[in-house]
Structure formats: C-alpha cells, structure tokens
Amino acid sequence: MTTHAHNLPNVASRLKDATGIALVSLLLGVPMIGLKTVDAGGALAIATRWPWLLAFVATMFVGRLVLQFVLDHVKLNKAKRARTRPEIGATRPWLKWIGYGVVGFALVLPIAFSGNRYVVDTATTVLIYVMLGWGLNVVVGLAGLLDLGYVAFYAVGAYTYGLLSTHFGWGFWETLPVAGAAAATFGVILGWPTLRLRGDYLAIVTLGFGEIIRLILVNWTDFSGGPNGIGSIPRPTFFGLPFSPDSDAGPTFASFFHLEYSPEHRVMFLYYLILVLALLTNLFVSRMRKLPVGLAWEAVREDEVACKALGMNVTNVKLSAFAIGAMLGGFAGVFFAARQGFISPESFVFSESATILAIVVLGGMGSQLGVVIASVLLVLLPELGRDFSEYRMLMFGAAMILIMVWRPGGLIAHREPTYRLAKKGAQA
Amino acid sequence: MSEMLLEVDRLTMRFGGLTAIDDLSVAVPKGKITSIIGPNGAGKTTFFNCLTGFYKPTEGSVRMHHPVHGPLLLNEMPSYHVARKAGVVRTFQNIRLFPNMSVLENLIVAQHNALQTASRFSLAGLFGRAGFKQAREAALEKAEMWLTRLKLIELADTAAGNLSYGTQRRIEIARALCVDPLLLCLDEPAAGLNPRESAELNELLLYLSREHGKGVLLIEHDMNVVMRVSDHICVLNFGTKIAEGTPEQVQNDPNVIKAYLGEEDADDKEAA
Ligand SMILES: Nc1ncnc2c1ncn2[C@@H]1O[C@H](COP(=O)(O)OP(=O)(O)O)[C@@H](O)[C@H]1O
Ligand SMILES: [Mg+2]
C-alpha cells in the first residue's frame, strides 16, 4: 500500500471530503431524523432524537470514507493495469490442457449422469450459451463491435427452421446451412448502416435492431404466428430414425438398435448434437482467428484509423465479422428450435442478448475458454439460486460485479498471439 | 531535376470559417526527403490528412505518379486506397499502434491485403493450402527484415503498447514500410526521441530515400533532423507556404525567421 501511497489523495483531503458529507447529512438530518412530531394528548408536540441523528451523521462520515477508499483503489488498480499490459512473450500451455480437460468432461457427462435428466438438460442449455458466446465473441471480443442485438440472429435461425420444417418439411441438417446464410444476411443488413458507428452509438442501434426483429415476429402474425409462435416443430432425428416409442411408420431409434425405448435417448442425442455444433464452432472460430481476416478483426478493434492508413478495407472486415457472428448465432437458433419443438418471440427478448454479452465480457473478450466458464456460471448461478428465489437476481448481480472488480479484463484475459517469430529469428 | 512522385496543386482545406490550408502547391520527388515545417497549428497534419484521404480537400488536387497505375488523384480516393493502390503510407503524430498485439503482428497486419488475397478470402486459408502458407512465410520474412533493420527484432514478440515512446515510433515506421510504400509520410517522427534515437532516425531516413529510392515527406519540429536530412524544405504558416528551398535557403529566409521568432515568444508565454 505504502509504495503507491503518493498516487492516492492524502488523508487530510479525504477527511475533509467526508466532513463535508457529514455536514450535509447533519443539515438534512435535523428535520428528517433529529426532530419528530409526536401525538402528546391530542396536541402535536416535537420530540428530539439527537442520538439517532448522531448515529446517522457518523454512518455517513464513515461510509463516505470507505466508499472513497474503495473507489480510489479501483482507480489505482485500473491505472496500474494500463501501465503493465500482459507480456505477450509468455505462453500459457496449461490453458490448452484445461481446454482439453473441459472437452473430455463434456464428452463423458451424459454417461456419468445418465439417469439424471435434469443435469443433461441443464448442460445442453449451457452448451447453447457457449455456442452463442463463441459466435458473439467474433463480433464483440475480436472485432470490438459492441452488439446488443445478437439475439436477433438466434431468432432468425430458429424461425428459419421453424418455418421451413413446418411448411415444407425440411429436416434439421438441410436447414442448417440455409439458416446460417439467412442469419449472415441479416448480419450484413445490420452491419451496413452501422459501419461508421462505434461504442455506445453502435450499441444503441444494435439494441434497436434486436427489438425490431422481435416486434416483427410478434406482429406479423401470418408469417410468424405472432405471439403464439410456431408449434410442433419436428425434432431432429438420428439419421432418419426418430426418437419415439414404437411407431407404425418404420423403425425408430430404439427399435433399430434393439434398445428399450427411453425418453432419455433424445435428451442425450440433443446434448451430443449441440456439443458437436459447439466444438465445430470453436474449431472454425479459432482457425478464422489465425487467418488474415481474424488478425484484421483484432486490428480493427485496436485502431480503426491505423487500419485504414495501412490500406485495409475496414468496411469489409467489419461486415465479415458481423456476418460470421450472425451465422453462428443462426446455427444455434436452429438447434434451439429443434430442441424446444416450439418457438415464440418470448424466447428472443433483450435480456437474452444481455446474457450472451455478459458471457463474452465476463469470460474475457476473445477468450474461448473464458466463454465456457462464464456460460457455466451464468446458467448455474440462477439455477442454484432457486432456493432463495427472492434473492436470486440480487445474488446474480452481486456475483457479476464481484467478478468484474476482481478481474476487469474478464476471467481469462490472456491473448495468445497469432504470429510468433521463430527462435532462430530472435537470436539472429 | 529528379522524377516527381507527388504533385499537390493549389490545395485548400477549410473547416467552417477556418482556412487550415490555403492554396498550397508542393511537389515531392522520388528518392529525396522533403520536409514540411512550421509552427503548431500551421496546418501540417491537416495537409497529411488531405493527402491520405482522411479529409476531402475543399479545393485543389493531389496527384500521385504511380509507376504502374499512372497518375492517380489521391483527393478522390478513400483512405485505404491511398495506401493500397497509390502506395502512399503515413504515420501519425499521436502514435497509432495496435497496442495489445505483438510488434510482429503489427507488421503482419500491414501486409493484410497480400495475405487476404493469398488466403482466397479465408477459403484456402481455412484448409491450410500451400499457397497461403508461402504467403505467410513471405510476410514473416518481410516483417523480420524490417524489424532487424530498425533494431526491433528482440522485441518482436512483446505487446507493442508496452514499449517506450521512441520504440513505438520506430515500430510505426517499420509497420508503414511493410506496406511497401512509394511515398512515406511521417508526422513528427522525432517527437519524444532522445538525441541518440533521433540521430538513428536521420540515418534511417537517408537509408530509405537513398538505398530504397522511397520518397519521404517529413513533418518535423526537431531542427537537428530537418536541417541534416532534408533535400527540400517547405515552410507553412497559417496554412500558407511562406518559404521553400534547400535547408540553407530556408534558414536564412527573413519570413521564416520572423514566423519562428513569433512562435518562440508564444512558447515562452505558454511555459510561464
Ligand atoms: N477536423 C478539424 N476540424 C476543425 N478544425 C481542424 C480540424 N483539423 C484541424 N483543424 C484546425 O486546423 C488547424 C491546423 O491544425 P494541424 O494541421 O493539426 O496543425 P499542425 O499539425 O501544423 O500543428 C488548427 O487550427 C486546427 O484546429
Ligand atoms: Mg500536427
């Protein structure tokens, strides 16, 4: 503490500041707390409560000191971090091993918890958020474009599957590329008008875009079913084998593999399906990050003007980030529709966008593993909090704030450089 | 008279009522160092912004004589085209690096266009095709070459934002060189450098213009740099050219002496 004491405002000025606050509270407190009207035998009399007032003023004084102390330290930490950026030279191979460990755990989870449908279901939800987080990470984490309407692309994917399957009998796998393309198109539609916007302004426009898509879904009843949504969406099949009890229309999953029918088969299948989709997403995004376009996304996040001065077409770079992020959201939407069998605008509200954004920010912008940890936290915390239902949101908020104070760069702020100079070069 | 790279003709830039550049004509030859000097607020940075497409000049034209594409009107191009097609690359007075990226990556981003084409807009890159790998190697080699030349090779894998001011200036120049510019525009590259560093800068500028035949357009306040390396100096004051010529001619020009003495008075007052 003492080493950087010179950076902190001195004690005298802090005491002065707190005394000022105490004086204001005294002024306000005399009429509000110090004096009280009491009913003295029909007539109104004034009673005094000086000890109360004293306690109030003292609390304000101490409270202000503590608050200032905390604020100063937060500021100081921030300044310190700005001075010392993480050294890129150091690699962190263990991060990779943790990643493999997580994948291994994800692979055996339904087997380890077979019979516990709740766990597998919750894990499926976590994986949907992981996939959405990885998709949004392209836009927010890598390209640095604050997108508050990401759920719109999730909705486009879900409704594409909902409509194509119920009206034209399309299957899950055929719809996947079409839904991805549709979502990517919407990504570009959102991207075009917002190209010149940054930060707060971009956030507002994307928020509006998300709401527009939702309102269209609510109001265009002929097209989307309005608030009632779309029901009886066909569930995905195992290469054509449905997960149902015996049916007359050919073999089912259970009959084909000579298993006894169990509703758990579908739950497990859905889990592995989203796991595969999520892993493919991860592979795709990690590869893209290492390609020129991925480095360009990051460069645009760092300094757009410098990119232009180096001859980079920033428009294309941003649009590609919007399109690819949207496409991944669209894929997740298709899965969501197939899993639920029913979709309505209720599922695509702003708070959903906020949750996905929170996952990306909390996880550490651009970090793939961070997104996984944050998704687990954000899905599980509210679940665990069910027992304290009234305090659930409070706990959730407090946890978020604590994590952001403790690690403002997100849980995993480490960035692995795409290019490294070979050892020989460094020594030459 | 050597071959002209850039010809600025009667350039004027107004911001509302303020005329930041007034009817300015300059020519910049290949393989020579041309300096733009003048007091603060004279319009030097604005001039660079007009050359490189960041501002659209109110009047006048900026013509680049490109060996392949022929004459190009820079004042009608978007900024990224100025660098990409016309080969005019600038640095910034307030350094603009990619601070969280390594020094090496900063130089690779500068080669984005070549790499992006080689990766067939990511399709070939996604599957690791040989053509893309070659382009990657070539980009790394070019970066390594400039890093070595600018004595930055030891820092290649460090975050650019961590380094000292002087080093960051050098990185910015190295990064600009990776775009293979025909004309390099440097906005106060010696600001914040110590005497040894600025002597090294002199050497580098001479090397680039003499050995690599690059045109150099230099905005600089440090007279140790300007007077030693410039082939031609153009003096701006309130957006107009008040003198032009070799270092000796400019140093003895009464207009220049007057403008600079006035400036020194102002500086003294500011310091007080
Ligand atoms: N975008 C702008 N809008 C309004 N005025 C500007 C803008 N850019 C520069 N100026 C004005 O133009 C004048 C020249 O500025 P500048 O080119 O930065 O000077 P120098 O680089 O020679 O110190 C200044 O008066 C500045 O305030
Ligand atoms: Mg300037």
Side-chain angles (χ1 to χ4, degrees):
Chain A
M1 291 288 133
T2 46
T3 50
H4 47 250
H6 58 279
N7 287 328
L8 287 174
N10 59 21
V11 180
S13 81
R14 281 294 165 245
L15 283 175
K16 223 164 148 186
D17 170 71
T19 311
I21 293 292
L23 276 177
V24 175
S25 6
L26 184 67
L27 272 176
L28 289 171
V30 168
M32 284 164 64
I33 296 171
L35 305 175
K36 187 178 193 292
T37 51
V38 287
D39 186 5
L44 217 53
I46 287 179
T48 57
R49 295 192 294 184
W50 301 132
W52 280 70
L53 180 64
L54 192 70
F56 171 67
V57 172
T59 312
M60 292 308 281
F61 181 77
V62 175
R64 177 72 183 182
L65 278 182
V66 171
L67 181 70
Q68 281 298 344
F69 183 80
V70 170
L71 285 181
D72 284 343
H73 277 265
V74 167
K75 252 188 234 157
L76 201 69
N77 278 336
K78 213 166 159 186
K80 249 198 321 211
R81 254 190 321 275
R83 258 178 275 131
T84 57
R85 279 165 208 285
E87 195 66 18
I88 290 187
T91 50
R92 296 205 193 153
W94 48 269
L95 268 182
K96 220 178 199 158
W97 289 109
I98 294 180
Y100 291 137
V102 171
V103 172
F105 176 75
L107 280 172
V108 300
L109 181 131
I111 299 162
F113 289 92
S114 67
N116 191 339
R117 194 182 157 158
Y118 171 73
V119 171
V120 182
D121 251 340
T122 311
T124 308
T125 309
V126 170
L127 282 175
I128 294 184
Y129 280 108
V130 168
M131 187 164 168
L132 287 169
W134 281 339
L136 184 61
N137 216 346
V138 171
V139 185
V140 179
L142 295 179
L145 303 162
L146 190 50
D147 184 350
L148 285 180
Y150 192 61
V151 79
F153 309 121
Y154 189 40
V156 169
Y159 272 84
T160 307
Y161 181 56
L163 291 170
L164 286 180
S165 63
T166 51
H167 291 309
F168 304 102
W170 283 45
F172 179 83
W173 295 105
E174 298 107 84
T175 317
L176 211 53
V178 177
T185 310
F186 273 90
V188 174
I189 292 174
L190 168 65
W192 259 120
T194 57
L195 282 170
R196 286 162 198 281
L197 305 178
R198 305 228 91 214
D200 315 352
Y201 300 99
L202 179 62
I204 291 168
V205 175
T206 52
L207 189 145
F209 178 79
E211 282 302 287
I212 289 172
I213 296 285
R214 192 180 66 81
L215 288 173
I216 289 176
L217 292 177
V218 170
N219 291 305
W220 194 359
T221 316
D222 299 336
F223 172 74
S224 65
N228 299 327
I230 301 173
S232 46
I233 297 170
R235 305 307 188 84
T237 57
F238 187 82
F239 301 103
L241 299 172
F243 292 89
S244 52
D246 286 326
S247 72
D248 310 326
T252 66
F253 179 78
S255 73
F256 189 83
F257 289 100
H258 305 292
L259 299 167
E260 206 172 311
Y261 169 76
S262 153
E264 252 178 54
H265 291 156
R266 175 171 31 227
V267 177
M268 274 166 86
F269 172 69
L270 283 172
Y271 174 84
Y272 279 114
L273 183 58
I274 184 70
L275 183 62
V276 167
L277 287 178
L279 287 179
L280 284 176
T281 303
N282 186 340
L283 207 68
F284 175 69
V285 173
S286 338
R287 271 220 80 108
M288 287 300 273
R289 216 211 106 190
K290 296 221 181 309
L291 290 181
V293 68
L295 200 62
W297 289 337
E298 291 193 271
V300 166
R301 173 193 71 201
E302 300 275 296
D303 196 321
E304 200 178 317
V305 172
C307 286
K308 283 184 189 159
L310 295 171
M312 188 189 290
N313 185 339
V314 173
T315 306
N316 287 353
V317 173
K318 281 185 176 180
L319 286 181
S320 67
F322 269 121
I324 285 176
M327 179 184 79
L328 297 171
F331 290 154
V334 173
F335 176 81
F336 176 78
R339 179 199 187 200
Q340 303 296 103
F342 164 76
I343 48 172
S344 77
E346 287 281 282
S347 309
F348 308 104
V349 290
F350 168 68
S351 73
E352 213 53 21
S353 289
T355 308
I356 306 165
L357 186 68
I359 285 172
V360 173
V361 174
L362 203 62
M365 303 269 240
S367 160
Q368 307 274 59
L369 185 59
V371 164
V372 177
I373 300 173
S375 307
V376 171
L377 272 179
L378 259 74
V379 175
L380 288 194
L381 266 184
E383 291 288 328
L384 293 179
R386 268 188 209 287
D387 297 339
F388 323 83
S389 47
E390 304 93 288
Y391 301 110
R392 202 163 134 184
M393 283 328 272
L394 191 70
M395 273 177 43
F396 182 75
M400 289 277 289
I401 292 174
L402 280 179
I403 292 172
M404 288 327 279
V405 167
W406 170 55
R407 304 213 62 152
L411 292 168
I412 298 180
H414 178 67
R415 174 183 177 275
E416 194 64 29
T418 304
Y419 287 81
R420 252 173 209 291
L421 207 59
K423 275 273 174 328
K424 60 165 177 61
Q427 280 157 7
Chain B
M1 201 61 203
S2 64
E3 198 187 327
M4 283 302 159
L5 258 189
L6 186 82
E7 276 174 302
V8 178
D9 189 32
R10 310 205 63 172
L11 188 77
T12 299
M13 180 79 219
R14 290 195 200 94
F15 299 106
L18 177 89
T19 306
I21 299 182
D22 195 3
D23 203 22
L24 176 66
S25 300
V26 196
V28 183
K30 187 171 178 293
K32 294 264 160 73
I33 300 175
T34 308
S35 291
I36 309 281
I37 63 171
N40 279 326
K44 305 180 296 294
T45 300
T46 305
F47 176 58
F48 267 23
N49 282 330
C50 291
L51 295 191
T52 50
F54 284 94
Y55 291 163
K56 291 281 159 260
T58 321
E59 276 163 47
S61 68
V62 181
R63 187 171 277 107
M64 175 79 187
H65 295 282
H66 195 280
V68 179
H69 303 300
L72 299 169
L73 277 181
L74 302 191
N75 51 309
E76 286 172 4
M77 283 185 173
S79 53
Y80 75 91
H81 255 180
V82 171
R84 183 182 192 162
K85 192 165 174 206
V88 177
V89 181
R90 68 176 292 188
T91 65
F92 293 87
Q93 186 174 349
N94 45 345
I95 308 169
R96 282 179 173 274
L97 292 176
F98 307 123
N100 291 303
M101 293 180 156
S102 74
V103 173
L104 179 66
E105 285 176 305
N106 267 269
L107 271 66
I108 298 289
V109 170
Q111 304 175 57
H112 173 77
N113 290 320
L115 284 168
Q116 178 74 347
T117 312
S119 81
R120 299 277 153 74
F121 302 93
S122 305
L123 287 178
L126 215 49
F127 301 106
R129 299 298 299 273
F132 173 59
K133 282 192 181 145
Q134 271 167 20
R136 238 180 96 108
E137 284 307 311
L140 278 168
E141 241 161 61
K142 194 197 281 180
E144 214 174 315
M145 190 265 281
W146 285 120
L147 286 175
T148 312
R149 181 63 194 78
L150 274 81
K151 301 201 179 77
L152 291 164
I153 197 78
E154 302 292 326
L155 303 170
D157 292 329
T158 351
N162 272 350
L163 299 164
S164 75
Y165 207 68
T167 312
Q168 293 200 14
R169 288 240 179 255
R170 279 217 308 289
I171 298 170
E172 212 187 6
I173 297 176
R175 190 179 66 178
L177 287 167
C178 282
V179 189
D180 290 332
L182 297 167
L183 176 65
L184 187 63
C185 303
L186 304 172
D187 198 343
E188 304 201 15
L193 300 198
N194 63 34
R196 193 185 45 109
E197 285 173 326
S198 85
E200 281 175 4
L201 176 70
N202 284 359
E203 201 189 306
L204 174 71
L205 295 179
L206 289 170
Y207 166 78
L208 290 174
S209 62
R210 306 298 185 256
E211 308 292 321
H212 285 261
K214 301 209 182 288
V216 177
L217 191 56
L218 178 70
I219 293 179
E220 193 43 73
H221 277 306
D222 185 341
M223 288 304 146
N224 279 326
V225 176
V226 174
M227 294 303 163
R228 288 199 188 139
V229 303
S230 305
D231 295 298
H232 191 82
I233 298 178
C234 166
V235 189
L236 289 189
N237 198 16
F238 295 114
T240 34
K241 182 163 76 182
I242 56 169
E244 184 170 29
T246 62
E248 292 77 44
Q249 288 169 336
V250 164
Q251 260 169 321
N252 300 322
D253 190 300
N255 281 332
V256 177
I257 294 167
K258 210 171 85 194
Y260 267 85
L261 284 180
E263 151 97 336
E264 262 162 34
D265 284 351
D267 271 359
D268 288 347
K269 268 182 224 133
E270 262 171 44

